[in-house]
Amino acid sequence: MAFRRRNKSYPFFSQEFLIQNHADIVFSLVIFILIGLMFEATAKTAILFIQPQYNVTTLLPEGEMTLYHYGWKDCATILFYFFIAIILHAVVQEYLLDKVNRRLHLSKSKNTKFNESGQLCVFHFVSSVWSLYILITEGYLLHPSSLWENYPHVHLRFQVKFFYLTQLAYWLHALPELYFQKKYFSYLLNLSRVGLVLLFLQYVSELGFHIARLFYFTDENHQKMFDLWAVSFVFTRMATLTLMFLAVGFGLARAENQVLDLEMGNFNTVLIRMTVLLLVCLTQSWLLWKFIRFQLRRWREFRHEQALRKKAATKQSLRPLKRDSLGHHENGVLKAENGASPRTKKLKSP
């Protein structure tokens, strides 16, 4: 892992070398980009990677404000924070999770799952707090109708756009899970406000699952938190469906402008709305189906285990006493059939 002392070295640019030193390599690239800010010739290029692009100054009742929209230059910014995500991943692993693992002495399979849940716990906690802060400061929680009013929401405040860029960068660095394909269509369809609420609900539910998982790895008797997570999981699925039907199915359906306009970023058409709702319904139904199958399998395994324990206890209680040719054992003393001690009697001479 990055930033730790290594006992074995590998040839440069070999697969093992890149895997072992990927965080150090990425850290060097980040330093190289930051150094570019120090020189006038490269500052304009370096700023593309660090600062969100496509800013527009608009006049609002409270004064001038800089807003942002998305474009192809966002790829450079996402790439930079993709590097940052790799570095933070290595820091959390090296200075937090590895120290805990050395104390727990987990098996190899549990160690892998513990590291995964530990990384996701940190990410989901930070993302939940951050998204909740944005929802409160932007006033979306106090005024739910603002989630769909004045659509399309092309222009975003700095904190909203920066939030989406960092989220995309994180899930891009965890590419095998492909989470960003399911979660960030709202950013491209200018449904950023609805997306913030959905991400907050999802991250709180996922945070509960990974916390329960960490407690389970430390002590397998801690299973009650999985029951709490099960309740939050079902609530999240129902809340997601309700919010999408309320915002997309009813809110956007009442909007006056329902014509596809790529330049204005308006995707409010009947076909797109129905497609979005269908995808959301299929995704949530699939997640619920997987959840129900998992719970049923877990319940059958529990019932089977209980039946085996009950059967073993019954056999233990009905086990016959040991006997031998002279009698039987009772309280550790050998007794004859009539209860007398089977000592050998002297035979009388005839």
Side-chain angles (χ1 to χ4, degrees), residues 280-346:
V280 171
C281 289
L282 290 176
T283 303
Q284 301 305 311
S285 300
W286 178 69
L287 290 174
L288 279 173
W289 173 245
K290 284 185 61 180
F291 174 78
I292 292 172
R293 288 185 60 186
F294 170 76
Q295 294 296 330
L296 289 176
R297 185 172 68 252
R298 182 184 175 190
W299 179 77
R300 286 195 297 265
E301 292 174 355
F302 175 77
R303 296 288 295 178
H304 180 66
E305 184 179 352
Q306 291 293 103
L308 291 178
R309 289 181 180 178
K310 186 176 180 180
K311 187 176 180 180
T314 304
K315 288 183 178 180
Q316 184 73 15
S317 61
L318 297 178
R319 187 174 63 182
L321 296 174
K322 294 181 179 179
R323 294 177 177 272
D324 56 18
S325 59
L326 296 177
H328 65 277
H329 292 275
E330 182 179 335
N331 295 329
V333 180
L334 187 65
K335 297 292 184 179
E337 293 294 337
N338 58 2
S341 177
R343 295 177 179 176
T344 304
K345 298 181 179 180
K346 294 181 178 180

Side-chain angles (χ1 to χ4, degrees), residues 21-57:
N21 300 278
H22 69 283
D24 295 327
I25 297 172
V26 167
F27 183 75
S28 301
L29 293 175
V30 170
I31 295 297
F32 179 76
I33 294 174
L34 294 176
I35 291 176
L37 294 174
M38 302 172 60
F39 303 97
E40 185 177 357
T42 58
K44 292 183 179 180
T45 303
I47 203 68
L48 291 175
F49 293 89
I50 302 172
Q51 181 178 328
Q53 303 300 308
Y54 301 104
N55 56 313
V56 178
T57 302

Side-chain angles (χ1 to χ4, degrees), residues 133-151:
Y133 172 78
I134 295 175
L135 291 173
I136 293 175
T137 55
E138 296 292 334
Y140 298 150
L141 293 181
L142 299 178
H143 305 284
S145 59
S146 62
L147 296 176
W148 58 82
E149 288 180 349
N150 301 321
Y151 179 86

Side-chain angles (χ1 to χ4, degrees), residues 81-150:
Y81 290 101
F82 164 82
F83 294 154
I84 298 295
I86 294 177
I87 296 172
L88 294 178
H89 185 106
V91 170
V92 172
Q93 184 68 42
E94 173 70 19
Y95 295 102
L96 179 61
L97 297 179
D98 284 350
K99 291 183 178 180
V100 177
N101 284 332
R102 284 193 287 268
R103 293 186 178 183
L104 295 179
H105 304 289
L106 299 175
S107 63
K108 186 175 181 180
S109 60
K110 286 187 177 181
N111 184 41
T112 302
K113 294 179 180 179
F114 182 88
N115 290 335
E116 177 189 0
S117 293
Q119 293 284 352
L120 291 175
C121 268
V122 175
F123 171 73
H124 288 140
F125 175 76
V126 173
S127 298
S128 300
V129 174
W130 192 0
S131 58
L132 179 61
Y133 172 78
I134 295 175
L135 291 173
I136 293 175
T137 55
E138 296 292 334
Y140 298 150
L141 293 181
L142 299 178
H143 305 284
S145 59
S146 62
L147 296 176
W148 58 82
E149 288 180 349
N150 301 321

Side-chain angles (χ1 to χ4, degrees), residues 92-244:
V92 172
Q93 184 68 42
E94 173 70 19
Y95 295 102
L96 179 61
L97 297 179
D98 284 350
K99 291 183 178 180
V100 177
N101 284 332
R102 284 193 287 268
R103 293 186 178 183
L104 295 179
H105 304 289
L106 299 175
S107 63
K108 186 175 181 180
S109 60
K110 286 187 177 181
N111 184 41
T112 302
K113 294 179 180 179
F114 182 88
N115 290 335
E116 177 189 0
S117 293
Q119 293 284 352
L120 291 175
C121 268
V122 175
F123 171 73
H124 288 140
F125 175 76
V126 173
S127 298
S128 300
V129 174
W130 192 0
S131 58
L132 179 61
Y133 172 78
I134 295 175
L135 291 173
I136 293 175
T137 55
E138 296 292 334
Y140 298 150
L141 293 181
L142 299 178
H143 305 284
S145 59
S146 62
L147 296 176
W148 58 82
E149 288 180 349
N150 301 321
Y151 179 86
H153 308 138
V154 178
H155 295 99
L156 310 173
R157 294 179 186 268
F158 173 82
Q159 61 179 353
V160 177
K161 177 163 184 176
F162 189 65
F163 173 80
Y164 273 104
L165 292 178
T166 53
Q167 296 291 304
L168 288 167
Y170 181 87
W171 290 118
L172 184 62
H173 112 280
L175 186 61
E177 300 189 40
L178 296 178
Y179 274 94
F180 64 94
Q181 289 189 0
K182 297 185 291 184
K183 294 181 177 180
Y184 300 108
F185 67 90
S186 59
Y187 181 68
L188 300 177
L189 296 180
N190 295 317
L191 289 169
S192 57
R193 299 178 183 180
V194 178
L196 279 172
V197 180
L198 296 180
L199 286 173
F200 170 72
L201 294 173
Q202 180 67 20
Y203 286 153
V204 170
S205 176
E206 292 290 329
L207 177 63
F209 170 74
H210 290 290
I211 289 177
R213 207 179 183 194
L214 291 177
F215 276 101
Y216 175 77
F217 289 143
T218 56
D219 186 355
E220 294 186 357
N221 294 322
H222 289 126
Q223 298 190 17
K224 293 295 184 182
M225 294 193 67
F226 282 110
D227 298 332
L228 297 176
W229 165 76
V231 175
S232 68
F233 181 88
V234 176
F235 172 79
T236 301
R237 305 282 76 78
M238 296 297 102
T240 299
L241 290 172
T242 303
L243 179 61
M244 289 303 295

